Amino acid sequence: MMALAVPNPPTTPRRVKVYELRNNDWYDRGTGYCTGQLLNQDEPHIQVKSEEESDRVLLSTKIIKDDGYQKQQETLIVWTEPQGTDMALSFQEPEGCAAIWEFVSHVQSHLLSISGTDEILSDDAGDQAISSLVQLPIPELGNLAEIEIMMRQASSTVQGRDALAKYIISEQWVAKLVPILEIAEDLESLENLHRLCNIMKMVILLNDTVIVESIVSDEMVIGVVGILEYDPDFPSHKANHRQFLSDRSKFKEVVPIRDPEVAKKIHQTYRLQYLKDVVLARILDDPTFSVLNSLIFFNQFDILQHLQNNTSFMKELFSIFHSEVPDPLKRKHGIQFIQNCCQIAKTIQAQARAQLYQNFVQNGLFAVIDQSLLDSDPTVRVAATDVLVAMIDHDPGMMRAFIYRQINEKQKPLTHTLIELLLGEQDLGVKAQIADAMRVLLDHAQGPSMEMMGKAGGDMAARMHARTGDSDSEGFLKSFYEDSAKKLFQPLRELSGRESLKGLSLAEVSLYSHLVETLCFFVRQHSYRSKYFLLTENLPSRVAQLLGSPEKHLKLTALKFFRTCVGLQDEFYIRHMVKYKLFGPILDIIIETMPRDNLLNSACLEFFEFIRRENIKYIITHLVDTYRETMQKITYVKTFIDLIIRYEQNHEPPQPNRYTEPQFGAQRQTNGGRRYQGIKDMDADEEVYFATSDDEDKDEENVPPSTTPADVTPVKILNGSPPPVKPLVDYADDDEDEDMDDGSKSKTKSEGGADENAPPTPTTPEPSSKPKSEEPAIATPPESLAKRRREEDDDEDDVLGKLSKKRSPSPGGSNGIMRKRSFGLLSGTAGQGPPKKIAISLTTTNKEGLSPKSADTPTTPTTPSGYPEDAALTPILKEDSAEEKKE
C-alpha cells in the first residue's frame, strides 16, 4: 500500500508561495506552509495552509503518476493539474523543496511500479530503474533517426533529461558518436549530417557540466564542432569551426606557463567562449547559457589566482618592458596579456581584483602604461589605454596619488601624457577612452563603489578613510589647473582668431566635442576653480564659436555647455554670458532651423523655456533689451512671446497696497475694536494708570480718598476704549460693581448718615442730575477704610457664594457678578463711541430698599438684555448696612 511506500511523509511545515498560471502570467495565490499528507490512508496529497489563516487551505492536490512534476533550480516545483492548470510551489528554503520533492518522487515511483508503465522516474527511483528505462543504441548511420526520436522524447521532462545525461556520461556515448561524422562526410550524406547536428545540440542542451567539459576537451572538441558545422537551419551553408579552433597561432604564450593544469584551463576557457559566442549563439537557452558562463568564470578565477601568486611568473612578465634590448613584439604581446588580465578581472570579486592590481602596481605597471601610451603602434596604445581605464575605474584615488607623487618628484606626470595623446591621437576610440579617463581622474568627489565597501572588508574601509582625509586630491587639482588645464584647452583658445569653422576634420570635431564635454564636467564638479579658469581664458566665448560649426552634434555639445551654466543659475556664469552676448548665437540657430522640429531646434527652445520657467530676471532683461526684435519674429512657439510678457511683468510698477491707503485707517476697526498692530509704546496717561495699579493693599493705605478727583467715575476698559485720565483707587470699583449689579435696588446712603466704611464716590452728573454741591464727599481715615473693607469683603464673599448657586452657573459669586457687569457695559457701550460716565447718588435708603430720589438720579443699565435682576440681593445688603451702623 501507499503507506508502506512512503513511511515518513514530510509533515514538517515548509514556508512556500503558491502560484497558478493564468493567461500566460503567474498569479500569486498566497503564502503558506506546505506538508505531505496521506489522506484516507492511501491517497498522497500536497497541502498548503495559509500562514495568515491556518484554517484556510491554499492548495490541496493529489499526486498521480502522470502529472509531469518538475523540480527547477533549488526551490521550485512545477506541475500540471489533471484539468490542465499549471501550478508552481516556490519554497523559501532549498531543504523544504528537497523534502517535498523526495515525497513526490517516492509516490510516483510506487505508482509506476504498481501500474507497470515505462515512464521515466525521478532521481530517487534508483540508478537501476533509470538505466532500464533510458537506453540509447550504439550510434550508427542507420539508427540516427531512431536515436533522435528517443532523445526528443526523453528531453521532454526534467527527469528524462537527468536520466539521459547520466546514461550519456556513464556510457561515454558522445565519444562513440563523434566518429560517425567522418563516415557521413565520406558518404556526403547531408541528411545524416543534419541528424548528427540535431543530436549534438540536444546533448549540449542537457545542461550537464560534466558533458560540457568533456566536449571541449582536446580529444573531442574538434569532432564536436565539426558536427555542429552542418546546421539543418542553414542547409546550403557550412561553417569553419574546426579550422578556427585548430589554428594554434592565436595562442601566444608571452611567458611560458609551466603548470599543465593552468594551460589546459586556458584552452578550455577559450573553447567555451567560442561555443557560447559563435557556435551556439542562436540556440542557447538560459540554463545552458548559465552553465557555460559558470564554467568560464571559475576557470578564469583559477587562472588569475595561479598567475598572480606565481612570483617568478610576474617578474618575468614585467622584465620584458625593462630589458636593455627592447623587443617590440614581445612588448606588444606583454601589454595585451595585461589587458586580457584586466578584462577578466572585471568579472571576479572585488577583493581578488584589488589583489591582482596591487601585484601589477608593485611590479611597475604605471611605468609600463606611461611607456606604452607613447608607442608608435596603435594596437599598443589602445591596449595601454584600456589598462589605464580599468585601473582608474578600480581605484581613481590610487592613480591620483601616483600622479601627485610624480609632480612632487619633478617627473612628467601621467596627465601630461594623456593630454598629449588626446590632442594628437587619430583613433576616435582611443580619444573617447582618454577623455573618459581624464574626467574620472578629475572627479575628486568620486569614491570607491558600494561593492568595494561591502566585499573588501575593514582594510579597504581603512584605506578609503585615509584617502578621504588625504590632501593629494586637492594638490592634484591645484597642479592640474595651474599647468595641465591650459595645455588641455589650447585648441579651444586657438579658435579666437578663426573666422569660420568649415572644413574641420573628423578628428578635430571629435576633439572639440570631448573638450566641451570636459568643460561641462568642470562647471558641475569644480565650482570655484572652474570659474577662475573660465574667466581668465574666456572659454565660453570660444565655445560659442562652435555654435557656428556645420556639424550638428558639435552644436549640440556647445549648447549643452551653456545649458549647464544656466541650469546652475550661478550669477558668475550668467553675468559672463550677458557681458559677451553669448545668447545671440543660440537665437540665430533657432532662426536658421525654424520651424523644423529637429533635435537642435528643440534643444534651443528648451534652453529659453527653462529661462522663462525659472524666471531668471537678469537673463530675461538682457534678452528683451537686446534681442526684442529677433524674439518677436519667432512666433511658431509661445516661448519668446511669454518671455517678453514675463519681462513686462518684472518691470511693472508695484500695485498699490490697500493696507497703505489713507482711507484704510477707518476700516481697521473690527466689531468696535482695532486690528492687532503689535505692541505700541504707552502714552503718559497709560503709564500713570499702570504704575498705580500694583500692590492694591499698599495703594489703598497710602492714598487718601480726598485725592481722588470728584468728576470721574472709574470704568473698566473694554474693546480698546480709552483709559481714564487719572488713576483711581481699585477698591472703589468693587462697590461700583455691586451697585451696578443691583441696578435700581442698589444700596444708597443718606446725605447726613452715610456709611463711614464706604469710600467717597465721585460722580459726574448728567443734565437731569442735581448739582455737585448737594453730594458732598465724606473723608475717612485710610487705615480704617482698608480694615473695614476687608471685613466687608469677607462677609460679601460668603453671601454671594450662596447666591451664585441660585442665579448663575459661573463658579465664584463675585466673579459671576463681575461678568454680568461686564456684559452690561459691553452691550451698553458697543458701537457708541466713548462709554458713558456713571453717577451714583449717596442718598438715604428707605425700608423697601429704594432711594427717595432714584427717579431723579440717572443710572447706567448694568445688566444685558435677558439677564433678570435678583431681588433677593437688596434685603441682604440692607441688613449688612444696619450691622455697619451698629459698629
Side-chain angles (χ1 to χ4, degrees):
M1 298 297 293
M2 183 62 68
L4 298 175
V6 187
N8 295 314
T11 56
T12 303
R14 306 287 184 173
R15 195 166 187 269
V16 68
K17 274 186 173 291
V18 182
Y19 291 95
E20 178 183 344
L21 188 63
R22 298 180 182 176
N23 298 325
N24 295 324
D25 193 12
W26 287 105
Y27 170 73
D28 185 1
R29 291 177 56 172
T31 304
Y33 293 94
C34 179
T35 57
Q37 302 288 339
L38 292 176
L39 303 180
N40 301 326
Q41 296 184 353
D42 60 352
E43 294 182 0
H45 280 71
I46 296 176
Q47 282 192 348
V48 180
K49 293 185 178 181
S50 174
E51 67 176 353
E52 297 177 355
E53 304 174 16
S54 58
D55 296 336
R56 185 163 65 95
V57 177
L58 297 177
L59 175 70
S60 180
T61 180
K62 182 180 178 180
I63 303 175
I64 57 178
K65 65 179 182 299
D66 54 356
D67 265 354
Y69 287 86
Q70 300 178 17
K71 180 183 178 185
Q72 298 181 2
Q73 302 175 0
E74 295 292 331
T75 59
L76 199 63
I77 297 177
V78 182
W79 75 97
T80 303
E81 290 287 311
Q83 64 270 24
T85 304
D86 289 333
M87 303 295 297
L89 292 177
S90 178
F91 290 83
Q92 182 178 1
E93 298 176 350
E95 292 80 7
C97 182
I100 300 299
W101 179 248
E102 183 178 1
F103 173 65
V104 173
S105 301
H106 277 293
V107 170
Q108 286 197 321
S109 301
H110 182 67
L111 291 174
L112 195 57
S113 63
I114 294 175
S115 61
T117 59
D118 295 331
E119 292 199 10
I120 300 170
L121 303 176
S122 62
D123 283 345
D124 305 285
D127 293 339
Q128 293 180 356
I130 294 174
S131 60
S132 62
L133 293 173
V134 181
Q135 290 185 356
L136 297 176
I138 297 175
E140 297 177 354
L141 283 180
N143 61 4
L144 291 180
E146 180 185 355
I147 293 174
E148 183 180 0
I149 294 173
M150 293 177 65
M151 292 186 67
R152 288 190 187 280
Q153 292 175 348
S155 299
S156 60
T157 62
V158 174
Q159 295 89 348
R161 293 162 63 89
D162 294 342
L164 183 61
K166 287 186 176 182
Y167 177 82
I168 291 174
I169 294 170
S170 61
E171 299 294 330
Q172 297 184 355
W173 193 81
V174 177
K176 300 174 182 178
L177 181 67
V178 169
I180 307 298
L181 172 65
E182 186 176 354
I183 300 173
E185 284 184 331
D186 291 342
L187 298 175
E188 297 182 357
S189 176
L190 189 60
E191 182 180 359
N192 288 324
L193 290 172
H194 288 168
R195 286 191 181 123
L196 279 174
C197 183
N198 289 333
I199 292 172
M200 186 57 66
K201 286 179 182 179
M202 285 187 283
V203 170
I204 296 175
L205 293 179
L206 291 174
N207 306 328
D208 191 284
T209 55
V210 178
I211 294 176
V212 174
E213 287 179 346
S214 65
I215 64 176
V216 294
S217 62
D218 295 340
E219 298 80 12
M220 297 176 59
V221 64
I222 299 299
V224 170
V225 297
I227 292 175
L228 294 173
E229 289 179 354
Y230 297 94
D231 193 340
D233 295 335
F234 302 94
S236 59
H237 294 81
K238 176 181 173 296
N240 295 318
H241 302 317
R242 284 176 288 183
Q243 180 181 353
F244 183 85
L245 291 179
S246 300
D247 186 4
R248 302 285 296 182
S249 63
K250 294 180 176 59
F251 178 70
K252 300 176 177 61
E253 202 170 8
V254 183
V255 176
I257 299 175
R258 298 175 176 84
D259 190 335
E261 285 297 321
V262 174
K264 180 181 178 181
K265 286 188 177 182
I266 291 174
H267 291 296
Q268 188 184 70
T269 304
Y270 177 71
R271 294 163 184 165
L272 286 170
Q273 288 177 329
Y274 185 77
L275 274 178
K276 178 175 71 75
D277 298 334
V278 180
V279 181
L280 305 175
R282 290 188 309 103
I283 65 170
L284 278 182
D285 55 5
D286 289 341
T288 310
F289 186 82
S290 177
V291 168
L292 294 176
N293 272 338
S294 299
L295 290 172
I296 292 171
F297 170 78
F298 288 114
N299 283 348
Q300 289 177 341
F301 181 77
D302 293 341
I303 293 168
L304 286 182
Q305 286 295 106
H306 171 79
L307 295 181
Q308 68 174 341
N309 293 331
N310 192 340
T311 307
S312 60
F313 177 85
M314 298 295 289
K315 289 183 178 179
E316 192 173 355
L317 172 64
F318 282 93
S319 65
I320 297 174
F321 302 96
H322 305 299
S323 61
E324 297 180 357
V325 182
D327 186 348
L329 185 60
K330 272 198 168 184
R331 287 190 175 184
K332 177 181 177 180
H333 292 165
I335 192 65
Q336 287 177 335
F337 177 81
I338 297 175
Q339 178 190 14
N340 289 336
C341 290
C342 292
Q343 288 175 346
I344 294 172
K346 293 178 182 179
T347 62
I348 64 176
Q349 294 91 338
Q351 189 173 3
R353 183 166 63 249
Q355 184 180 358
L356 175 68
Y357 287 146
Q358 186 177 2
N359 288 335
F360 280 167
V361 171
Q362 290 175 354
N363 285 277
L365 178 62
F366 289 141
V368 172
I369 294 174
D370 202 358
Q371 178 183 351
S372 301
L373 287 174
L374 300 177
D375 197 283
S376 57
D377 190 346
T379 307
V380 176
R381 294 199 301 271
V382 170
T385 306
D386 199 6
V387 173
L388 176 64
V389 171
M391 294 289 295
I392 293 174
D393 288 340
H394 167 67
D395 191 354
M398 179 178 62
M399 296 298 298
R400 292 190 206 105
F402 168 73
I403 296 172
Y404 190 61
R405 187 166 61 249
Q406 284 183 318
I407 294 172
N408 291 336
E409 294 174 359
K410 306 300 180 182
Q411 300 177 4
K412 181 180 178 181
L414 182 61
T415 50
H416 283 196
T417 304
L418 292 175
I419 291 171
E420 292 174 1
L421 192 58
L422 176 64
L423 300 183
E425 180 60 53
Q426 298 299 314
D427 190 301
L428 302 184
V430 175
K431 276 185 182 292
Q433 280 187 311
I434 294 175
D436 291 340
M438 292 285 295
R439 286 192 283 271
V440 175
L441 278 176
L442 295 170
D443 186 7
H444 63 286
Q446 183 184 19
S449 63
M450 294 302 295
E451 179 187 14
M452 293 288 292
M453 291 193 293
K455 296 183 179 180
D459 295 337
M460 189 61 195
R463 289 175 54 206
M464 285 168 46
H465 181 72
R467 287 201 305 271
T468 303
D470 203 354
S471 61
D472 287 355
S473 295
E474 282 299 319
F476 170 71
L477 287 177
K478 180 180 178 182
S479 173
F480 177 83
Y481 274 99
E482 289 177 353
D483 187 16
S484 303
K486 295 181 180 180
K487 185 176 181 181
L488 175 62
F489 294 102
Q490 182 64 29
L492 275 181
R493 293 191 296 166
E494 292 175 352
L495 290 175
S496 58
R498 192 163 182 171
E499 296 180 357
S500 174
L501 294 180
K502 294 181 180 180
L504 290 177
S505 66
L506 192 60
E508 287 178 320
V509 172
S510 176
L511 175 62
Y512 289 137
S513 179
H514 289 309
L515 292 179
V516 175
E517 289 279 1
T518 306
L519 270 183
C520 293
F521 171 80
F522 286 175
V523 169
R524 290 192 302 266
Q525 298 294 330
H526 309 151
S527 56
Y528 71 95
R529 294 186 189 275
S530 64
K531 289 178 183 178
Y532 177 76
F533 181 72
L534 265 67
L535 175 65
T536 55
E537 303 296 332
N538 193 19
L539 291 180
S541 297
R542 307 285 75 80
V543 175
Q545 282 185 259
L546 298 177
L547 293 171
S549 169
E551 285 77 12
K552 289 184 180 180
H553 68 276
L554 187 56
K555 289 182 180 180
L556 285 168
T557 306
L559 180 63
K560 178 182 177 182
F561 169 76
F562 292 116
R563 178 63 175 81
T564 303
C565 295
V566 173
L568 295 175
Q569 299 190 32
D570 192 302
E571 185 180 356
F572 169 81
Y573 296 113
I574 292 174
R575 290 186 177 275
H576 189 82
M577 293 174 67
V578 169
K579 177 181 178 181
Y580 291 96
K581 298 182 178 179
L582 302 182
F583 295 95
I586 304 176
L587 278 172
D588 293 340
I589 291 178
I590 295 180
I591 296 294
E592 293 173 5
T593 57
M594 72 176 190
R596 297 191 298 272
D597 292 330
N598 55 24
L599 179 60
L600 182 59
N601 182 270
S602 300
C604 294
L605 290 177
E606 191 276 336
F607 176 80
F608 289 104
E609 179 64 23
F610 174 81
I611 296 172
R612 184 202 64 80
R613 186 173 63 250
E614 297 296 325
N615 194 19
I616 307 176
K617 297 181 179 180
Y618 194 78
I619 299 180
I620 293 175
T621 302
H622 167 71
L623 288 174
V624 179
D625 289 344
T626 310
Y627 308 104
R628 179 186 284 267
E629 295 182 0
T630 304
M631 293 170 64
Q632 289 175 343
K633 296 177 183 178
I634 308 174
T635 58
Y636 74 104
V637 290
K638 294 177 59 179
T639 301
F640 296 94
I641 301 300
D642 292 343
L643 275 173
I644 296 174
I645 294 174
R646 183 61 61 89
Y647 167 82
E648 293 172 352
Q649 291 174 349
N650 293 338
H651 289 76
E652 284 180 355
Q655 295 292 335
N657 191 343
R658 70 186 188 92
Y659 296 102
T660 62
E661 294 176 0
Q663 64 271 23
F664 183 68
Q667 303 174 2
R668 296 179 65 87
Q669 290 188 352
T670 303
N671 295 330
R674 293 179 177 270
R675 294 180 182 272
Y676 176 73
Q677 302 179 21
I679 300 176
K680 296 183 177 180
D681 295 335
M682 294 187 294
D683 56 18
D685 294 336
E686 289 176 332
E687 290 181 357
V688 172
Y689 173 78
F690 286 108
T692 58
S693 62
D694 296 336
D695 299 327
E696 297 174 352
D697 293 344
K698 194 178 296 184
D699 291 342
E700 282 187 329
E701 295 175 1
N702 296 334
V703 180
S706 59
T707 59
T708 305
D711 57 344
V712 180
T713 299
V715 179
K716 293 285 184 178
I717 299 173
L718 294 176
N719 291 337
S721 301
V725 178
K726 293 183 179 181
L728 303 176
V729 178
D730 289 337
Y731 284 115
D733 291 345
D734 295 335
D735 286 342
E736 291 168 13
D737 295 343
E738 296 172 6
D739 293 341
M740 285 188 290
D741 279 307
D742 294 340
S744 62
K745 297 181 181 181
S746 63
K747 182 178 68 173
T748 57
K749 304 289 186 284
S750 62
E751 294 182 2
D755 188 4
E756 294 178 356
N757 294 332
T761 304
T763 61
T764 304
E766 294 187 0
S768 62
S769 63
K770 293 187 176 183
K772 289 186 291 183
S773 59
E774 297 181 5
E775 300 173 358
I778 300 175
T780 304
E783 293 81 359
S784 175
L785 174 66
K787 179 179 179 181
R788 293 184 179 182
R789 284 301 302 146
R790 281 195 292 272
E791 294 174 356
E792 182 182 358
D793 289 343
D794 294 337
D795 296 336
E796 289 176 357
D797 290 340
D798 295 336
V799 175
L800 296 178
K802 297 176 181 179
L803 289 174
S804 64
K805 299 179 180 179
K806 298 179 180 180
R807 60 191 298 268
S808 175
S810 304
S814 59
N815 291 339
I817 295 175
M818 282 296 293
R819 277 195 293 273
K820 178 180 282 192
R821 169 185 173 274
S822 300
F823 279 121
L825 289 177
L826 180 61
S827 63
T829 59
Q832 299 179 4
K836 295 180 180 181
K837 297 184 178 180
I838 302 172
I840 300 175
S841 176
L842 301 177
T843 58
T844 305
T845 307
N846 58 17
K847 294 180 180 181
E848 287 78 18
L850 298 174
S851 174
K853 299 181 181 180
S854 60
D856 298 331
T857 305
T859 58
T860 303
T862 58
T863 57
S865 176
Y867 280 80
E869 297 181 355
D870 198 339
L873 183 62
T874 302
I876 294 173
L877 293 177
K878 184 171 70 173
E879 292 175 4
D880 192 11
S881 176
E883 291 176 2
E884 290 177 358
K885 288 182 179 181
K886 291 180 181 180
E887 291 178 1

